[in-house]
Amino acid sequence: MVPASPVARPLRHVARALFPCIWRGKYFSSGNEPAESNRVTPMFRHLMYKIKSTGPITVAEYMKEVLTNPDKGYYVHHDMLGEKGDFITSPEISQIFGELVGIWFISEWISSGKSSAFQLVELGPGRGTLTGDILRVFSQLGSVLKTCDISVHLVECGETRDHIEVCPEAGVIIQELSQRIALTGGAALIADYGHDGTKTDTFRGFCSHKLHDVLIAPGTADLTADVDFSYLRRMTQGKAASLGPIQQQTFLKNMGIDVRLKVLLDKADEPSVRQQLLHGYNMLMNPKKMGERFNFFALLPHQRLQVGGHQMGTCQSKPSASSPVAGFGELTWQ
């Protein structure tokens, strides 16, 4: 959900991408690539003129132009999601993902006192699949939410997935979220590729679900980098408590994905539906697929995690046994 951005590393060679250039010790464009990979795209021309006119650009500027340029950007002209696209996200794989996220928000709403106003805000919603699944859960639990005045907000961020090793824009968003949570309550749940400050140099491209050279045919492939959750934690500046990151496999298991899968399988009459459910489960949970690659991270009010009248650590908090946070501790059935 969180965008991000800049690394101050000029792309001095982009304007000369048709000539040999070295990037991290290997040739990115030697002139020997297939014609379809080495073609001069409209975005390439745009970048070439931009660099010639104003000088070198940073990786962040490169990503912003390639992905979100209103005239030639990748997101403007490509249907990037799904099997026919370049990448897929967890909500698109299985309805269970969105359903469990919906249950997480209801759990936090109950734990925070069942406010009569309930706002669900998704940053960078894409097709809106996630919110659609969450709202279906809300409608099925209408008796629980009957006192709520529910409003939904889908907020498109200008640099969706534009997160890279140093990400000031993500920091700004986290600071704003932390401030709002501290003042008015609520919770934020962030799910994405990421690490806890242990990785570097994760900038990469994807085309047709395969790794793609970030400098070849700009504007025809998705560009992304992993979220540094340790940076997000620091950017809360102690205003909100943070939980995680924990692996998607662990979070969904704690939320009861096995129980939900069994319910859906029992209701499924068609073998094709059962196969689809099992395939989606495997994609979400398999460590070699998305189970360990995606992580969950949450922001909560400090008082939500108080133990015995004492607040837990301001940098990173752990859920208490008396006040568990769904997904971040083992699910207990009562």
Side-chain angles (χ1 to χ4, degrees), residues 130-177:
L130 176 61
T131 294
D133 291 336
I134 291 174
L135 292 179
R136 186 174 64 254
V137 170
F138 286 4
S139 66
Q140 292 172 351
L141 297 176
S143 59
V144 177
L145 297 168
K146 61 184 178 182
T147 60
C148 277
D149 176 18
I150 300 175
S151 60
V152 178
H153 304 271
L154 301 180
V155 183
E156 278 288 1
C157 296
E159 288 184 74
T160 304
R161 294 177 62 83
D162 183 9
H163 40 258
I164 195 166
E165 321 314 334
V166 179
C167 41
E169 292 185 11
V172 171
I173 290 177
I174 291 297
Q175 289 174 358
E176 176 69 18
L177 288 173

Side-chain angles (χ1 to χ4, degrees), residues 88 90 191-193 246-248 290-296:
I88 194 166
S90 294
D192 211 331
Y193 286 108
I246 64 171
Q247 294 173 346
Q248 175 171 286
M290 301 175 78
E292 292 183 355
R293 295 178 183 176
F294 273 71
N295 289 269
F296 280 78

Side-chain angles (χ1 to χ4, degrees), residues 96 100 251-261 331 333:
I96 303 177
L100 297 181
F251 179 88
L252 295 179
K253 193 169 189 65
N254 289 343
M255 289 299 302
I257 188 172
D258 294 327
V259 176
R260 180 57 178 159
L261 175 66
L331 186 67
W333 293 97

Side-chain angles (χ1 to χ4, degrees), residues 102-121:
I103 292 172
W104 188 90
F105 280 110
I106 291 177
S107 173
E108 282 308 301
W109 171 72
I110 293 173
S111 298
S112 62
K114 298 184 180 180
S115 171
S116 59
F118 191 117
Q119 290 189 335
L120 173 67
V121 180

